Amino acid sequence: MNKYYHIVTYGCQMNVHESEKIAGILADLGYKSCGSVNSADIVVFNTCCIRENAENHAFGNIGMLKKLKSEKKDMIIAVGGCLPQQMGKAENLHDKFPFVDIIFGTHNLHKLKEYIISKSCTKKPVIHIEDDSGIICEGENPCRTSYPNAWVNITYGCNNFCSYCIVPYVRGRERSRKSENIISEVKGLVAEGYKEITLLGQNVNSYGNGSDEISFAELLRKISAIEGDFRLRFMTSHPKDFSEELAEAIASCDKICKCVHLPVQSGSDRILKAMNRKYTVADYIKKIEILHKYVPDCAVTTDLIVGFPGETEEDFQSTLELVKKVDYSSAFTFVYSRREGTVAAKMAEQIPEEISKNRIMRLVSLVNGLTRKHSCSYVGKTVEILCEGYDEKKDMYLGRDTYGRMGYFKCAENAIGKFINLKVTSANGISLIGEKV
Ligand code: 5AD
Ligand code: SF4
């Protein structure tokens, strides 16, 4: 008899890829993917806790399964990832949702198979959270879901302890995979036909730090030298570790996309210091200048936080100024979210919600204006995009160019996984519309 799984993923690309690994484990146990919780024999929530709303969202959706579980007693519900890895949260989840069968953290995802077997045999809930052991799992067999893109981890964890951020507490200390393992994984993916490889880490620029591994720039050069028709992307970069060598590598390797995500968080030196970001606005601008010296047309995107404790209107104005100066191609904007256990959570002067809301609205409006301006500058040009999907509502294919800009087009045959020359006819805010030429 067929058994089905459904995975609900919250959060970043790292989590999206980890859900592919969970899918690999479930496939190994004989489960097949299905599109909804209603027809699933096992539902796995792969959670995020970076901001309070991500956590609330997961709590809400887990709670909604109570009724279904009472009707389908044999259905297994598992909750894993960053949320239960936080101190005390696994117990909290268990108390609130006693119908959840398996709770696991970020450091023991690879043991999910044994937890499922144990639950099926003993019928008892399995609650296992492990501490960071520094182990790197190799030989995983993810069920990849994002063809023609494939995610490849290069580092895990983070050592930066930005004062607002929970990640170092739930993902443990930074550790790098061996370059030979990364290179052989990429070779295999290219041979299988993947056309875009995205290297993943909380801070890819510090790849190999504290070991005798090659530098991140060298890793990029080696991967670029793999034969085949593919693109290379990476995320995320920490500005303090962004090197001239990396800018040089982007310039000299055709396969590396001309798009760097360089989160700045704030445009105020005072706030950057309080955030423990370890650079000033001037240092950051210098890095962008170095990048543009080597790759003049490189697109830069960023992450920004408003309403960090103690942020004044003047600090916020400095952020607006920096955004205009760098002329970001696009940006992710966030309202600061207080995370228990972080240094910033204990800071005085938490900013009232209405002030943060007002600031985020002004920031989003500025960022949207820049994004629109960049999109409009494409009209009339022809760009190469890698088709990565089909939008049913729009009845159009979609894909991104080297700068990360999304373009839509009509096509009679299946274009997914093909490099397409797109003549841009119009721009629609964040994305482009064009014709295949
Ligand atoms: N509140 C708001 N945004 C946060 N980020 C990380 N922690 C928080 C927090 N506590 C944002 C940062 C980071 C991105 C992944 O999420 O901008 O770069
Ligand atoms: Fe969080 Fe800072 Fe590490 Fe990024 S670099 S994951 S923001 S602590």
Side-chain angles (χ1 to χ4, degrees):
M1 214 178 72
N2 285 332
K3 294 185 295 179
Y4 292 96
Y5 71 79
H6 183 63
I7 303 173
V8 185
T9 308
Y10 303 90
C12 60
Q13 273 76 17
M14 192 76 83
N15 268 16
V16 172
H17 185 39
E18 262 154 26
S19 287
E20 294 181 332
K21 295 180 187 177
I22 292 172
I25 294 170
L26 297 172
D28 195 35
L29 282 168
Y31 288 91
K32 291 191 171 81
S33 169
C34 72
S36 79
V37 289
N38 290 317
S39 33
D41 297 288
I42 178 164
V43 178
V44 183
F45 290 91
N46 187 13
T47 61
C48 169
C49 64
I50 196 139
R51 281 169 290 275
E52 197 183 356
N53 54 6
E55 204 168 304
N56 291 345
H57 203 170
F59 266 99
N61 288 345
I62 298 164
M64 283 203 298
L65 285 200
K66 186 176 176 187
K67 186 165 173 283
L68 186 65
K69 173 80 182 185
S70 68
E71 291 157 7
K72 279 175 72 179
K73 294 229 166 7
D74 288 339
M75 179 174 78
I76 297 178
I77 300 178
V79 178
C82 292
L83 199 167
Q85 188 69 42
Q86 293 171 94
M87 185 91 82
K89 280 282 161 83
E91 294 76 8
N92 205 281
L93 271 165
H94 181 58
D95 290 345
K96 215 168 159 162
F97 307 120
F99 57 88
V100 169
D101 303 286
I102 299 171
I103 300 179
F104 60 101
T106 56
H107 301 299
N108 54 342
L109 180 154
H110 58 286
K111 296 187 183 163
L112 181 59
K113 183 174 174 177
E114 72 187 64
Y115 300 155
I116 294 171
I117 294 171
S118 159
K119 165 66 201 172
S120 305
C121 297
T122 66
K123 308 283 176 219
K124 288 198 180 118
V126 182
I127 302 168
H128 264 287
I129 304 297
E130 289 185 7
D131 288 337
D132 174 16
S133 61
I135 288 175
I136 295 180
C137 288
E138 292 294 344
E140 292 164 314
N141 196 12
C143 278
R144 296 184 182 272
T145 51
S146 51
Y147 176 85
N149 182 32
W151 313 102
V152 174
N153 291 111
I154 67 164
T155 67
Y156 295 96
C158 181
N159 288 349
N160 290 315
F161 288 95
C162 299
S163 62
Y164 50 81
C165 187
I166 193 84
V167 169
Y169 303 91
V170 292
R171 293 247 170 214
R173 295 294 62 74
E174 183 181 285
R175 50 224 182 263
S176 300
R177 282 179 75 195
K178 283 198 164 63
S179 55
E180 70 228 46
N181 291 338
I182 299 169
I183 291 165
S184 94
E185 183 175 348
V186 176
K187 274 187 186 159
L189 291 166
V190 172
E192 279 177 51
Y194 286 91
K195 297 285 189 276
E196 187 172 271
I197 306 295
T198 306
L199 306 179
L200 290 178
Q202 310 297 346
N203 178 12
V204 289
N205 298 118
S206 63
Y207 173 77
N209 263 2
S211 72
D212 54 3
E213 260 306 344
I214 56 177
S215 68
F216 178 55
E218 187 58 22
L219 178 69
L220 285 178
R221 277 194 221 100
K222 289 202 167 182
I223 296 176
S224 295
I226 296 171
E227 255 179 61
D229 198 14
F230 70 97
R231 283 176 175 176
L232 191 51
R233 295 187 192 272
F234 53 86
M235 67 194 322
T236 292
S237 301
H238 193 301
K240 80 176 163 56
D241 300 309
F242 189 91
S243 65
E244 185 155 2
E245 192 198 4
L246 174 56
E248 241 176 296
I250 301 171
S252 62
C253 302
D254 288 345
K255 287 184 176 118
I256 305 179
C257 289
K258 292 182 175 176
C259 177
V260 173
H261 186 62
L262 207 54
V264 68
Q265 314 298 358
S266 167
S268 153
D269 282 342
R270 208 176 61 79
I271 296 296
L272 287 174
K273 193 161 194 312
M275 285 177 162
N276 193 29
R277 290 291 290 177
K278 303 188 181 86
Y279 54 82
T280 62
V281 173
D283 297 333
Y284 182 86
I285 289 172
K286 190 96 214 284
K287 301 269 174 164
I288 305 264
E289 282 168 0
I290 291 171
L291 171 64
H292 283 150
K293 186 175 107 191
Y294 287 91
V295 196
D297 57 337
C298 194
V300 182
T301 60
T302 201
D303 291 344
L304 296 152
I305 297 177
V306 301
F308 183 83
E311 184 189 67
T312 61
E313 176 61 25
E314 201 186 341
D315 294 319
F316 175 64
Q317 287 297 333
S318 308
T319 299
L320 296 179
E321 283 314 307
L322 180 69
V323 169
K324 283 185 223 158
K325 189 173 166 72
V326 178
D327 194 19
Y328 290 109
S329 155
S330 67
F332 294 105
T333 53
F334 306 106
V335 171
Y336 165 75
S337 172
R338 192 172 170 274
R339 302 283 64 209
E340 208 57 63
T342 62
V343 171
K346 294 183 215 80
M347 287 180 183
E349 285 191 82
Q350 302 281 327
I351 302 294
E353 199 182 318
E354 61 276 16
I355 295 187
S356 295
K357 274 196 180 152
N358 174 280
R359 287 183 189 158
I360 194 96
M361 269 160 43
R362 286 186 280 159
L363 181 61
V364 166
S365 149
L366 174 64
V367 166
N368 285 351
L370 292 180
T371 308
R372 214 172 302 123
K373 181 191 81 178
H374 285 287
S375 292
C376 287
S377 72
Y378 274 86
V379 178
K381 292 183 187 155
T382 298
V383 288
E384 186 188 59
I385 64 168
L386 170 61
C387 179
E388 61 188 50
Y390 173 72
D391 184 318
E392 275 184 32
K393 267 199 205 140
K394 288 193 170 79
D395 185 24
M396 283 176 140
Y397 285 94
L398 59 117
R400 284 178 300 156
D401 73 348
T402 185
Y403 308 108
R405 186 81 28 179
M406 191 70 85
Y408 288 83
F409 62 100
K410 295 242 183 215
C411 186
E413 70 270 14
N414 181 6
I416 297 172
K418 301 211 168 74
F419 289 97
I420 303 282
N421 285 321
L422 185 80
K423 175 139 201 291
V424 181
T425 50
S426 63
N428 160 23
I430 195 167
S431 52
L432 314 171
I433 295 165
E435 286 158 10
K436 178 174 174 271
V437 289

